[in-house]
Amino acid sequence: MGNSRGKKLALNTITSLLLQLTTIISGFIVPRLILGAFGSDVNGLVNSISQFLGVITLLDLGVGAVVQSSLYRPLAENDKDSISRIYVSASKFFKRLALILLGYVVILLIVYPLVINRDFDYWFSATLIGAICISSFSQYYFGIVNSLLLNADQKGYIQYSAQIITIILNTIACAILIYLGGSIQMVRLTTSLIFLLRPLYLVWYVKKHYNIDRKISYSEEPIKQKWNGMAQHFAAYVLGGTDNIVLTLFSTLANVSIYSVYNIVIIGVKNALLSMTNGFQSLIGEMLAKKELEKLKNFFGYVEWILHTGTTLIFGCTGVLLVSFVRVYTNGIDDADYIQPFFAILITIANAGHCLRLPYNILILAAGHYKQTQSNYNIAMIMNIVISIATVKLWGLVGVAIGTLVAMIYQTVWMAWYDSKNIINWPFKGFLKQCGVDVLTVLLASLATFKIPLLSVSYQAWLLQAIEVFICWLIIVMIINYIFYREKCSYLLKKTIRKFSRS
């Protein structure tokens, strides 16, 4: 890997990890303050509204991912005209989308408070929707195309740094407002206004550092496969957002709140792993654009192994520790039963499946194989919806977790098979071996750690439990991987020692 590539990858990975760490810390602080000040039903309402506003991301039909893929080649070739044409076409699309968002918000303001009129009056819900929607609008109107350009150019660290600052400012502002007795509407309005700063900064940065011809004309659409990203994007939303919407429509706001508390931890862990891959897609896209297939094969082999091993370690510890953490986090809140061990196990495995599919999904996105993979995304989406709705009445939280789990297993296996046959000629038996190692690791490490007790309901006791669990899992992961992947372990160890020696 070239020196410049390596530096960009390192910068993107480090700032992305810092962003996820900041997001996780803020994600624990702000919802806990809301729970303590306003109760489980208001927390459930906030999460439900956020999920319904998230539906608007469906309307970009995956164009964001296609835009980023379209930019790899012109950026690699420094083709300024092509970059400008793609930028202008994408900007027009997302500005139209922002207007559709306004129309959707108006409909939501009228309909949602009537649907959810179980516990809150009309104006309480309507004003909360208005406060939350500002950040969604600003993302599409000001910031999204600039984010995609920076990501494609391996400069994601610019926007990650800006986002870290806005998250810190938001956490401080929310804590002050809640302490002073501000309403939930005021808290969420402040959040939206602070998050407006990031897209405005990106507008300024791109204008200063990129020579984009915003008046350029084009006779044919510069973004190929513009509509073929729909299935991937739609499925990604459904797999990530169906649970909250199904619970809102067919269950209770208390269950939405319980789900959201577990999801704080799960999303934090998942995003920490996702942040490790933020620089990979643009790097793989550049290798494919330059037809560096041997380099790509070698690089992908390590990406697959590292993500599988990291996912097994991190999500394995999460599965053991999740209920203990929720017990501590919700201590003193007794308006809902937050201790749900079976749900915790299922939702952990389902989201681990999402991370295990990452290397294969990254390859599909980087190669721009949208049209070819639509059937897989459609089937996974239908599976999740049908199973979740069919089982939520019987098993509540567990039912929606089963729907997500089944869809994730199907999609992960299908993607690995597709990549091995159509993009990288990667042996599928290697994927099966990797999954076997993952399962063996989880079984042995779970048996070794599931009886480690939480000595008291406090963060200090949970931290001691977490350290003990993590050390046990780390030792077992290292031993099993050294047995089955000795060459990769040795290479990684030598590379780490070399870097420390240079330092």
Side-chain angles (χ1 to χ4, degrees):
M1 196 187 302
N3 195 36
S4 175
R5 282 176 172 176
K7 281 182 180 176
K8 284 181 178 178
L9 182 60
L11 261 176
N12 285 330
T13 304
I14 291 165
T15 52
S16 186
L17 281 168
L18 285 172
L19 170 60
Q20 295 312 324
L21 181 62
T22 310
T23 305
I24 289 165
I25 293 169
S26 174
F28 287 137
I29 293 170
V30 175
R32 184 60 179 83
L33 290 171
I34 290 171
L35 269 173
F38 305 109
S40 292
D41 282 349
V42 169
N43 186 51
L45 182 67
V46 168
N47 281 279
S48 174
I49 290 170
S50 298
Q51 201 65 60
F52 271 90
L53 281 171
V55 169
I56 195 66
T57 63
L58 293 176
L59 295 176
D60 86 11
L61 302 177
V63 172
V66 181
V67 169
Q68 188 169 323
S69 297
S70 301
L71 283 165
Y72 293 140
R73 187 178 293 278
L75 283 166
E77 296 170 354
N78 198 25
D79 183 350
K80 291 179 182 176
D81 284 348
S82 292
I83 294 168
S84 295
R85 281 192 284 268
I86 293 166
Y87 184 94
V88 169
S89 175
S91 295
K92 286 178 183 174
F93 178 85
F94 285 108
K95 282 181 180 177
R96 288 191 207 107
L97 183 60
L99 296 176
I100 294 171
L101 169 59
L102 280 181
Y104 174 72
V105 169
V106 170
I107 294 168
L108 206 60
L109 283 167
I110 297 166
V111 176
Y112 183 89
L114 299 174
V115 173
I116 208 70
N117 197 19
R118 287 169 281 186
D119 303 293
F120 302 100
D121 65 47
Y122 183 92
W123 290 109
F124 186 93
S125 300
T127 51
L128 191 53
I129 292 167
I132 294 173
C133 79
I134 293 170
S135 59
S136 298
F137 179 83
S138 64
Q139 176 190 357
Y140 285 99
Y141 197 81
F142 296 117
I144 197 165
V145 182
N146 297 316
S147 297
L148 295 168
L149 175 62
L150 291 170
N151 284 343
D153 201 22
Q154 299 177 54
K155 289 184 180 177
Y157 57 88
I158 302 294
Q159 59 160 323
Y160 303 148
S161 302
Q163 203 165 344
I164 289 167
I165 293 166
T166 54
I167 289 169
I168 292 170
L169 288 174
N170 173 62
T171 306
I172 294 167
C174 287
I176 291 170
L177 283 168
I178 290 172
Y179 177 75
L180 294 174
S183 67
I184 186 64
Q185 286 88 346
M186 182 58 69
V187 171
R188 297 305 298 188
L189 178 61
T190 303
T191 295
S192 288
L193 293 175
I194 289 172
F195 283 124
L196 181 59
L197 296 174
R198 186 183 72 93
L200 291 174
Y201 168 72
L202 295 184
V203 169
W204 171 82
Y205 183 90
V206 168
K207 275 186 178 177
K208 185 176 180 183
H209 293 90
Y210 289 85
N211 187 21
I212 304 290
D213 181 1
R214 288 171 172 78
K215 295 180 180 178
I216 198 167
S217 59
Y218 47 88
S219 55
E220 62 175 272
E221 176 54 58
I223 304 170
K224 307 300 180 189
Q225 297 195 79
K226 190 171 184 176
W227 304 109
N228 294 128
M230 180 176 65
Q232 288 85 329
H233 189 73
F234 193 76
Y237 176 80
V238 170
L239 290 173
T242 293
D243 296 355
N244 247 327
I245 291 174
V246 168
L247 287 170
T248 298
L249 296 176
F250 300 103
S251 191
T252 63
L253 283 177
N255 267 346
V256 176
S257 182
I258 294 166
Y259 181 91
S260 72
V261 167
Y262 279 87
N263 214 35
I264 290 169
V265 183
I266 293 295
I267 291 295
V269 171
K270 184 165 74 175
N271 285 345
L273 279 163
L274 285 171
S275 68
M276 292 170 59
T277 72
N278 280 340
F280 291 160
Q281 186 179 323
S282 54
L283 181 53
I284 288 172
E286 187 187 349
M287 287 178 178
L288 283 166
K290 292 182 175 178
K291 302 191 186 306
E292 298 171 344
L293 298 182
E294 280 308 309
K295 276 186 184 177
L296 174 58
K297 239 180 177 181
N298 188 45
F299 179 65
F300 182 79
Y302 280 96
V303 169
E304 181 188 45
W305 173 65
I306 288 168
L307 284 176
H308 270 263
T309 306
T311 298
T312 303
L313 173 62
I314 302 301
F315 272 97
C317 293
T318 301
V320 175
L321 294 164
L322 184 52
V323 172
S324 297
F325 179 83
V326 171
R327 191 184 299 277
V328 176
Y329 186 75
T330 60
N331 187 30
I333 297 169
D334 52 12
D335 57 355
D337 182 10
Y338 283 89
I339 308 306
Q340 305 279 344
F342 189 45
F343 166 70
I345 291 168
L346 288 176
I347 201 69
T348 301
I349 297 171
N351 283 275
H354 182 275
C355 290
L356 290 176
R357 78 195 241 293
L358 274 174
Y360 318 107
N361 191 45
I362 287 169
L363 202 54
I364 288 169
L365 295 176
H369 282 218
Y370 297 98
K371 187 175 182 179
Q372 302 92 318
T373 57
Q374 279 187 9
S375 61
N376 157 57
Y377 286 89
N378 289 335
I379 291 167
M381 173 188 67
I382 292 165
M383 274 183 176
N384 195 16
I385 293 171
V386 171
I387 295 171
S388 294
I389 291 174
T391 55
V392 70
K393 283 289 185 186
L394 285 172
W395 299 316
L397 291 162
V398 170
V400 294
I402 290 170
T404 306
L405 175 59
V406 172
M408 284 298 179
I409 290 171
Y410 164 77
Q411 198 172 56
T412 303
V413 174
W414 192 96
M415 282 180 173
W417 174 84
Y418 180 86
D419 287 351
S420 70
K421 301 293 180 188
N422 298 282
I423 300 177
I424 202 172
N425 196 24
W426 196 253
F428 187 70
K429 64 182 181 182
F431 164 76
L432 295 176
K433 177 189 174 183
Q434 184 70 70
C435 290
V437 171
D438 296 340
V439 171
L440 178 63
T441 304
V442 169
L443 288 174
L444 292 177
S446 297
L447 286 170
T449 56
F450 81 99
K451 283 192 174 179
I452 293 174
L454 179 69
L455 297 175
S456 65
V457 184
S458 67
Y459 286 107
Q460 294 92 328
W462 182 84
L463 187 60
L464 290 172
Q465 183 192 27
I467 291 168
E468 198 173 340
V469 168
F470 180 76
I471 290 170
C472 288
W473 272 81
L474 183 61
I475 291 167
I476 291 167
V477 165
M478 288 170 69
I479 291 169
I480 291 175
N481 273 275
Y482 191 73
I483 292 168
F484 289 98
Y485 295 102
R486 185 170 301 185
E487 190 181 320
K488 283 186 169 68
C489 290
S490 300
Y491 174 77
L492 192 64
L493 184 62
K494 283 175 188 172
K495 197 169 181 181
T496 307
I497 291 168
R498 240 190 343 261
K499 283 205 171 181
F500 274 109
S501 301
R502 281 178 197 161
S503 301

